Amino acid sequence: MKNPRAVDRLCHATGLLLVLSGLVHLVVFAVDGGPWVGPVSWRKPVTFGLSFGLTLLAITWVTSYLRVGPRLRSALLLIFAADCVVEVGGITLQAWRRVPSHLNMESPFDTAVSMTLAVGGGVLVALLTVFAVASFRHRPTGPAGMPLAVRSGFAILLVALASGAAMIARGVVLTRTGHQEAAYHSTAPLKPLHGVSLHAVLVLPALAWLLSRSHWGEGTRRRIVATAVGCYTAAVAGAGVWAVLTYR
């Protein structure tokens, strides 16, 4: 698919479908009940559907401000969208099977799903790192405050990727050494850090875009974005401190 606009439309549609999937499973949870927390719950298809959907929408939009070749951007976005579908699909499948999706090595099929999700996570890290590097190699375009918002969003997103990789790595080690139950609970300290830092790439550029619709001058808008970046960084730091204090 060589038309960048067609790729954007496809990614937008996919992102919306993933968000819809999360909302549908919220209704399923309301009807079916069961625990909200734990390795087997409707929380996972809800939160992952919403999170991956919003992230795909955000990345598709934000990368339009990057100075990346259109063909390369389109190819990376298509892979990213497919990976998001695989991740949410695997998690949703396991939720309906009433078994854990991550770190589950109880059967050959469960192991295959778990490893697919882990590999998919690695692909996500690689793709988003490429976009993050591109944002710092060349100044992003956009209205006042947008370059700072985009670069800061990607920088904070790298924290989310690192914390996600750490959760998977620790869980796999515990699983491989026979501590399956401990593996399911080992991710808890890093979840707030991962969740908070994941969506900076949407929140900060969205703020810059909204400010561009205001009557404030460019200097004022840049200062507001800079303040927001500082506040968001403080929130991420706080989540990081929490992760250190509760790490076991």
Side-chain angles (χ1 to χ4, degrees):
M1 190 177 295
K2 297 181 179 181
N3 187 341
R5 292 186 178 179
V7 171
D8 284 13
R9 287 195 296 268
L10 177 61
C11 290
H12 288 152
T14 304
L16 290 175
L17 286 175
L18 294 178
V19 170
L20 179 61
S21 173
L23 294 176
V24 167
H25 283 89
L26 184 60
V27 175
V28 172
F29 168 71
V31 174
D32 186 63
W36 180 251
V37 297
V40 182
S41 71
W42 292 117
R43 168 188 58 83
K44 299 193 77 173
V46 171
T47 56
F48 278 81
L50 294 174
S51 183
F52 271 89
L54 289 174
T55 300
L56 177 55
L57 291 170
I59 294 300
T60 303
W61 171 55
V62 170
T63 54
S64 66
Y65 294 106
L66 299 182
R67 299 182 187 275
V68 179
R71 289 188 178 181
L72 175 59
R73 175 177 174 270
S74 295
L76 294 176
L77 284 178
L78 286 174
I79 298 172
F80 184 68
D83 204 6
C84 287
V85 172
V86 170
E87 292 289 305
V88 175
I91 290 162
T92 303
L93 170 66
Q94 296 297 71
W96 280 98
R97 294 182 67 234
R98 305 299 177 109
V99 296
S101 55
H102 293 85
L103 310 175
N104 183 0
M105 311 294 180
E106 295 298 323
S107 72
F109 182 81
D110 292 327
T111 300
V113 172
S114 180
M115 294 308 297
T116 297
L117 295 177
V119 172
V123 173
L124 292 175
V125 170
L127 292 173
L128 293 174
T129 299
V130 170
F131 283 133
V133 171
S135 73
F136 284 94
R137 286 190 63 188
H138 304 286
R139 180 181 174 84
T141 61
M146 185 62 77
L148 174 61
V150 171
R151 284 176 165 175
S152 300
F154 273 114
I156 296 174
L157 178 62
L158 293 178
V159 176
L161 299 179
S163 59
M167 285 191 288
I168 294 174
R170 189 184 184 204
V172 168
V173 170
L174 288 171
T175 299
R176 294 296 188 186
T177 54
H179 302 88
Q180 186 70 61
E181 194 63 29
Y184 291 144
H185 298 289
S186 66
T187 60
L190 287 171
K191 283 183 178 179
L193 175 62
H194 182 69
V196 171
S197 54
L198 185 62
H199 296 295
V201 74
L202 170 60
V203 173
L204 296 175
L207 173 62
W209 181 84
L210 288 172
L211 289 173
S212 71
R213 266 56 183 170
S214 72
H215 298 293
W216 289 325
E218 292 188 358
T220 300
R221 283 182 273 152
R222 288 193 184 95
R223 286 192 292 272
I224 293 174
V225 171
T227 300
V229 169
C231 292
Y232 210 111
T233 302
V236 171
V241 171
W242 170 262
V244 172
L245 293 177
T246 57
Y247 184 84
R248 295 178 182 178

